[in-house]
């Protein structure tokens, strides 16, 4: 925790930390959803889908790291108990009970769309002028989420085209 680094933040730091912790819960749950999805997925283009899910899991894990590091920098505590994550997250957790590729893709696309909307809302609350570091971090994470959505929708489109061929 750096005192000057916190002093320059132009918004309520407690509110800021709360927003970041909620996003941390989202990222942790997204990480697990992708990670376990890659283990169980079945169906057309399984290995492509598996590879993409694994890659996204790693990227969600990186996002969780970025958020946790920023929370600590701001003098906060990252969520200590994973049990509370489901309750405070913005996007929740979509249990992949059906291992079919299409079902898994649809669940994860929904998750990415929620992530994009969540970060977009966060950027309205965390103004660049008030906290350029958090705002810039969120913008970077958002770029990945936009890429994730597109990646998954492209695979889904390919599988649909295979069915028509
Ligand atoms: Fe993410
Ligand atoms: Fe994502
Ligand atoms: Mg990707």
């Amino acid at each position: 925790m750096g005192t000057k680094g916190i002093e320059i933040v132009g918004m309520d730091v407690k509110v800021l930390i709360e927003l970041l912790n909620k996003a941390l819960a989202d990222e942790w749950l997204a990480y697990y959803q992708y990670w376990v999805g890659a283990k169980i997925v079945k169906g057309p283009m399984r290995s492509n889908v598996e590879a993409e899910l694994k890659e996204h899991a790693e990227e969600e894990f990186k996002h969780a790291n970025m958020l946790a590091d920023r929370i600590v920098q701001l003098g906060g505590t990252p969520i200590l108990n994973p049990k509370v994550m489901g309750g405070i997250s913005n996007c929740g957790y979509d249990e992949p009970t059906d291992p079919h590729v299409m079902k898994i893709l649809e669940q994860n696309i929904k998750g990415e769309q929620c992530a994009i909307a969540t970060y977009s809302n966060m950027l309205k609350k965390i103004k660049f002028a008030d906290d350029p570091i958090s705002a810039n971090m969120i913008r970077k994470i958002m770029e990945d989420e936009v890429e994730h959505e597109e990646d998954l929708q492209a695979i889904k489109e390919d599988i649909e085209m295979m069915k028509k061929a």
Side-chain angles (χ1 to χ4, degrees):
M1 169 174 109
T3 46
K4 190 66 183 174
I6 295 171
E7 196 190 296
I8 55 161
V9 174
M11 67 182 284
D12 186 334
V13 177
K14 248 189 92 187
V15 171
L16 173 60
I17 289 168
E18 240 168 77
L19 290 169
L20 296 174
N21 254 325
K22 280 165 76 72
L24 170 60
D26 284 321
E27 293 295 349
W28 196 265
L29 296 173
Y31 161 70
Y32 192 80
Q33 198 176 316
Y34 274 123
W35 179 84
V36 80
K39 303 276 179 206
I40 60 159
V41 70
K42 283 180 188 166
M45 289 174 64
R46 184 204 292 215
S47 53
N48 295 53
V49 176
E50 191 188 319
E52 197 67 47
L53 298 177
K54 272 190 193 164
E55 195 183 284
H56 287 194
E58 277 168 32
E59 284 163 356
E60 309 305 5
F61 187 71
K62 272 187 213 153
H63 298 162
N65 254 306
M66 291 160 80
L67 289 158
D69 287 345
R70 184 65 184 141
I71 290 166
V72 171
Q73 240 177 26
L74 289 165
T77 308
I79 302 165
L80 296 175
N81 188 340
K83 274 189 259 178
V84 306
M85 286 182 174
I88 70 159
S89 78
N90 301 286
C91 299
Y93 183 80
D94 223 354
E95 191 179 341
T97 47
D98 183 344
H100 194 287
V101 278
M102 286 308 254
K103 194 71 205 171
I104 300 266
L105 286 171
E106 276 161 21
Q107 283 178 322
N108 285 307
I109 289 166
K110 207 179 94 198
E112 293 298 344
Q113 289 174 341
C114 181
I116 294 166
T118 297
Y119 285 119
S120 173
N121 285 331
M122 273 175 82
L123 274 186
K124 282 173 198 144
K125 291 180 194 150
I126 304 167
K127 301 273 196 301
F128 186 83
D130 290 332
D131 183 2
I133 297 169
S134 296
N136 195 43
M137 178 187 72
I138 291 162
R139 188 192 54 84
K140 276 193 257 170
I141 295 176
M142 232 177 123
E143 278 177 18
D144 286 345
E145 312 304 10
V146 167
E147 193 185 303
H148 288 171
E149 183 203 28
E150 206 272 328
D151 286 346
L152 299 180
Q153 284 182 332
I155 297 179
K156 189 167 171 265
E157 197 184 357
D158 289 348
I159 294 172
E160 274 156 4
M161 283 175 78
M162 276 168 60
K163 283 194 283 192
K164 278 174 211 152

